[in-house]
Amino acid sequence: MPVFWFIVWRASMMSVWPVRERLQDALETEADWALLIRMYQDDVRRIGRLWSETGLADAAAVSLVTRGVCLFWETLVLTVSTSYCALCFCGLVGQFAIYVTLLLCVANISSARHSRIQTKGSLSYLASLLPIRGDDSFERLCFMSLIFNLRCGAEVSRIGIITMKSVGPFLRLIF
């Protein structure tokens, strides 16, 4: 089952590549901000259709929560039982690592577009590197405000978009 979620995550990450490549090219040439805005809006629509409208984000959340609870109980039963098996415990740790990695990947969909951290190479960071040339400052400002106001990612109903900002405290609580 995790393979399916990793494939969907990879498709989500690949959809931002054309915008990122166009921004990297704009470091050397002039940026076509209108095209970048249209490409980003298309990317947001594509991610919205993939995760929210099809219900994949809700299914992923339910899958992660139920599997996490099952792994917790299996670990608890395994540690309490008298027939402690190191191999079984290693298998549970491996499964837990896969699901934590999947949670981080889903949160990374949003970070690839909005993060201000340099190492992420997000769209907002790349756009801030571009030099301001003449009359394109207003269009650049429009693109930057679009990135920060039009959120993109796996949106779970009643929770919102899964971001690193929301996943971080959860993982600190677990570990």
Side-chain angles (χ1 to χ4, degrees):
M1 188 67 170
V3 174
F4 170 74
W5 297 117
F6 283 117
I7 290 171
V8 172
W9 166 77
R10 190 64 180 164
S12 301
M13 294 304 288
M14 287 174 58
S15 71
V16 77
W17 287 350
V19 183
R20 180 177 283 137
E21 288 173 3
R22 186 71 68 155
L23 275 172
Q24 287 172 341
D25 291 343
L27 286 170
E28 299 159 6
T29 62
E30 282 195 32
D32 184 1
W33 293 107
L35 177 64
L36 283 168
I37 289 171
R38 280 193 307 273
M39 289 173 73
Y40 183 73
Q41 287 173 332
D42 291 341
D43 181 42
V44 170
R45 278 190 218 105
R46 195 174 309 116
I47 297 299
R49 278 194 306 266
L50 180 64
W51 285 97
S52 301
E53 292 176 14
T54 60
L56 277 178
D58 293 332
V62 168
S63 173
L64 285 170
V65 168
T66 56
R67 191 61 194 150
V69 169
C70 289
L71 285 172
F72 173 76
W73 284 111
E74 288 173 16
T75 306
L76 186 65
V77 167
L78 188 64
T79 55
V80 171
S81 72
T82 55
S83 61
Y84 181 79
C85 174
L87 186 61
C88 295
F89 186 72
C90 289
L92 289 176
V93 170
Q95 288 181 19
F96 184 73
I98 288 172
Y99 280 92
V100 167
T101 304
L102 179 61
L103 182 62
L104 289 171
C105 287
V106 170
N108 194 30
I109 294 170
S110 177
S111 296
R113 290 152 178 87
H114 310 296
S115 178
R116 293 181 185 177
I117 299 172
Q118 176 181 357
T119 56
K120 295 243 184 234
S122 68
L123 296 180
S124 59
Y125 177 74
L126 289 173
S128 69
L129 290 178
L130 296 176
I132 299 175
R133 295 184 181 101
D135 58 345
D136 70 348
S137 60
F138 178 72
E139 290 153 345
R140 176 184 175 174
L141 182 64
C142 289
F143 180 73
M144 293 295 283
S145 67
L146 181 71
I147 287 176
F148 288 112
N149 294 325
L150 190 59
R151 305 303 272 175
C152 183
E155 186 172 358
V156 179
S157 58
R158 300 190 194 274
I159 294 176
I161 294 178
I162 300 173
T163 62
M164 287 292 190
K165 190 175 183 178
S166 60
V167 169
F170 172 73
L171 292 178
R172 278 187 221 106
L173 180 70
I174 291 175
F175 296 112

